[in-house]
Amino acid sequence: MLKWPNDVLIEGKKCAGILIETEFASNQVQAVYVGIGLNSLLAPDQAAALDDYVSDLPNNQIILDKFLEAVNEYYSIWCNGKFNEVLLLWSSLAHKKGANISVKLGDKTLSGLFEGVDEQGALILKDSEDQSLKTITAGDIYL
């Protein structure tokens, strides 16, 4: 399952994640740094490794090659103005609409129902206190 915005879970345990940092100068993007982590053979406590779930795990080079092929394919789709196709696929693999979640925003935590992701990729939360829809662009999600 995909957990917004950047984690891959197996049976509720984190198996992979992506971290993106953007460098700005004069309100323009100067660089984007992407870090990707995947637990293939071993995992920290409370996490998952692919080897625990796949009987014939390919070597890391094959996994990397397949991953980069997929990134290239979906990046091309996005560059061609078809972000909605990527969003639909992501949504089909994410936690289900209506799932209870909490979002930690600095020192504040919001709780409510997952309502999906908007066309910019922001999380939509139906706040449990006032039933309003909140657009979340960054935060830690707890299922």
Side-chain angles (χ1 to χ4, degrees), residues 64-81:
L64 177 62
D65 291 345
K66 292 293 184 187
F67 173 79
L68 292 174
E69 284 176 25
V71 167
N72 188 49
E73 176 184 350
Y74 289 104
Y75 181 66
S76 294
I77 291 169
W78 180 60
C79 286
N80 288 320

Side-chain angles (χ1 to χ4, degrees), residues 30-49:
Q30 296 299 304
V32 176
Y33 304 97
V34 180
I36 300 162
L38 170 68
N39 302 329
S40 57
L41 296 175
L42 300 171
D45 289 341
Q46 308 303 314

Side-chain angles (χ1 to χ4, degrees), residues 5-7 14 16-22 32-37 140:
N6 57 1
D7 291 340
K14 186 173 178 176
I18 298 174
L19 178 64
I20 300 173
E21 296 288 335
T22 307
V32 176
Y33 304 97
V34 180
I36 300 162
D140 293 321

Side-chain angles (χ1 to χ4, degrees), residues 3-20:
K3 182 181 126 195
W4 184 89
N6 57 1
D7 291 340
V8 178
L9 308 178
I10 298 177
E11 295 182 352
K13 300 176 189 173
K14 186 173 178 176
C15 179
I18 298 174
L19 178 64
I20 300 173

Side-chain angles (χ1 to χ4, degrees), residues 1-3 7 9 87-96:
M1 179 178 77
L2 300 178
K3 182 181 126 195
D7 291 340
L9 308 178
L87 181 57
L88 286 173
L89 176 60
W90 185 93
S91 295
S92 74
L93 299 170
H95 31 92
K96 299 303 174 212

